[in-house]
Amino acid sequence: MPALLTAIRKPLRRLVNAFSPVNWSSPLQAERKIGKKEEREERRADDTGEEEIRHSTDEIIKGCGRNIADCFKSGLHDKKLLTIAGAMGIVWLIISLLPAIGINPLPVQFLSFLTFAQGGLTGGGLGFIGGIIGKGLIAYFVTLVIAGRITSESTMSSLRSFAANFSGKKWDAVSISPLLIGAGSALMIYNFLAGTSSIFNCMVGIVAFVVAVRSLSTGTSCIRKIFASLFAKNGRVNTCFVTKIMAGWAAGFGLGVVLSLLGGILGGYICYIAGLVILLAGAGLVYSSCRKEGASA
């Protein structure tokens, strides 16, 4: 087993590295070399606690899409990665079919929960699409673990960094609003990935929470770039504001898991409803704060 992990760890690291920050306007081969330097420069906050946003939201989304597409293209040429993906696909298929033929003991139910085997099987057409993406997230997480990019030590460190965003803080409309925006957005995304928010589908929320907490501690992710571009004004955005959004984003996935434990309330769409309410509340607080600042100015 150790020899197998050593053999596949190198190609897995190549696959994981394909998700590193990129330079959205450069050719594909130059993106990975230039992107990291530009990411550091773009996120460097000045004395005002702000950072420069050099790309529009559309450019960032397109860049993320190109990067992910390149990742999968490279993975298609690696036999070891294809073997892992095929093995996971077979496991998902078997665990999904067993209940259909009357075999559904507790061990099968536990494996179904652990592997997110029901992903894409609930929630209609939208749930099918979300479930496929959710299984991709599960596969990405497994890749990170096998490649050694997620360990128990790094996870605990990320959790401490995440908790620091909620301890000893002054709670007012300005500080709460970004947390609500992030949490509300994550709740709706979680419901989309899970199909329906139930205990058997909540593993994708647990994995999303761990990945979100990890990206919060590193300070780099496509989602962070998107939020930063959305709230940028005159090409600049408050670093603390975006960090709080990402803290709320991680907390939202954790809250989604908790709500899933309540059962199929509201047809399994409770996280959509709760997420929308929380998101609107956060947006309302941001709007009112901006109006107060404008009036005082």
Side-chain angles (χ1 to χ4, degrees):
M1 190 66 175
L4 176 61
L5 292 176
T6 302
I8 65 177
R9 189 163 283 185
K10 184 176 180 179
L12 285 173
R13 285 186 184 277
R14 291 202 304 269
L15 177 63
V16 172
N17 288 336
F19 283 91
S20 61
V22 296
N23 178 4
W24 313 118
S25 59
S26 301
L28 189 58
Q29 295 299 325
E31 285 180 345
R32 294 176 191 169
K33 296 180 180 179
I34 301 175
K36 291 183 179 179
K37 180 179 179 182
E38 181 172 290
E39 172 78 12
R40 289 193 296 268
E41 291 177 350
E42 184 169 303
R43 292 199 62 251
R44 187 180 295 128
D46 56 23
D47 294 336
T48 65
E50 295 182 340
E51 58 191 67
E52 184 180 0
I53 305 300
R54 299 181 179 178
H55 306 287
S56 67
T57 305
D58 289 342
E59 290 173 332
I60 292 172
I61 293 175
K62 289 177 182 178
C64 289
R66 287 198 302 268
N67 201 25
I68 293 173
D70 181 52
C71 164
F72 283 109
K73 287 179 182 178
S74 64
L76 291 175
H77 294 86
D78 194 302
K79 293 182 179 179
K80 294 176 180 177
L81 291 179
L82 289 175
T83 300
I84 295 174
M88 293 182 67
I90 292 173
V91 170
W92 278 326
L93 179 62
I94 293 175
I95 296 177
S96 298
L97 290 177
L98 287 177
I101 59 177
I103 303 175
N104 195 29
L106 188 59
V108 173
Q109 296 179 38
F110 177 73
L111 285 175
S112 178
F113 158 77
L114 195 64
T115 61
F116 188 51
Q118 298 298 316
L121 302 182
T122 59
L126 189 64
F128 174 76
I129 297 173
I132 296 300
I133 298 175
K135 285 182 174 177
L137 178 63
I138 297 290
Y140 174 61
F141 178 77
V142 171
T143 300
L144 287 174
V145 173
I146 296 178
R149 297 289 290 272
I150 289 184
T151 62
S152 58
E153 293 80 7
S154 66
T155 301
M156 291 305 299
S157 176
S158 297
L159 287 172
R160 286 192 292 269
S161 176
F162 166 72
N165 288 277
F166 299 90
S167 60
K169 303 294 182 180
K170 178 183 178 182
W171 298 106
D172 53 24
V174 175
S175 61
I176 292 176
S177 58
L179 294 173
L180 295 180
I181 290 172
S185 301
L187 276 170
M188 291 190 291
I189 293 296
Y190 164 68
N191 213 145
F192 169 67
L193 296 175
T196 54
S197 51
S198 67
I199 187 171
F200 288 106
N201 291 341
C202 71
M203 178 53 69
V204 70
I206 297 173
V207 168
F209 170 75
V210 174
V211 172
V213 167
R214 177 178 178 271
S215 66
L216 176 65
S217 64
T218 59
T220 57
S221 68
C222 282
I223 297 298
R224 189 189 191 285
K225 282 178 169 286
I226 292 172
F227 277 125
S229 66
L230 286 173
F231 289 95
K233 185 177 181 180
N234 298 323
R236 303 187 68 80
V237 68
N238 185 284
T239 301
C240 183
F241 185 85
V242 180
T243 300
K244 287 181 178 179
I245 289 180
M246 295 308 298
W249 173 261
F253 286 114
L255 178 59
V257 173
V258 173
L259 291 177
S260 295
L261 299 179
L262 300 178
I265 299 177
L266 299 177
Y269 301 109
I270 184 174
C271 291
Y272 274 130
I273 299 171
L276 180 61
V277 172
I278 293 173
L279 178 60
L280 291 176
L285 288 176
V286 169
Y287 177 74
S288 63
S289 298
C290 290
R291 289 200 62 178
K292 288 180 180 179
E293 289 180 2
S296 61

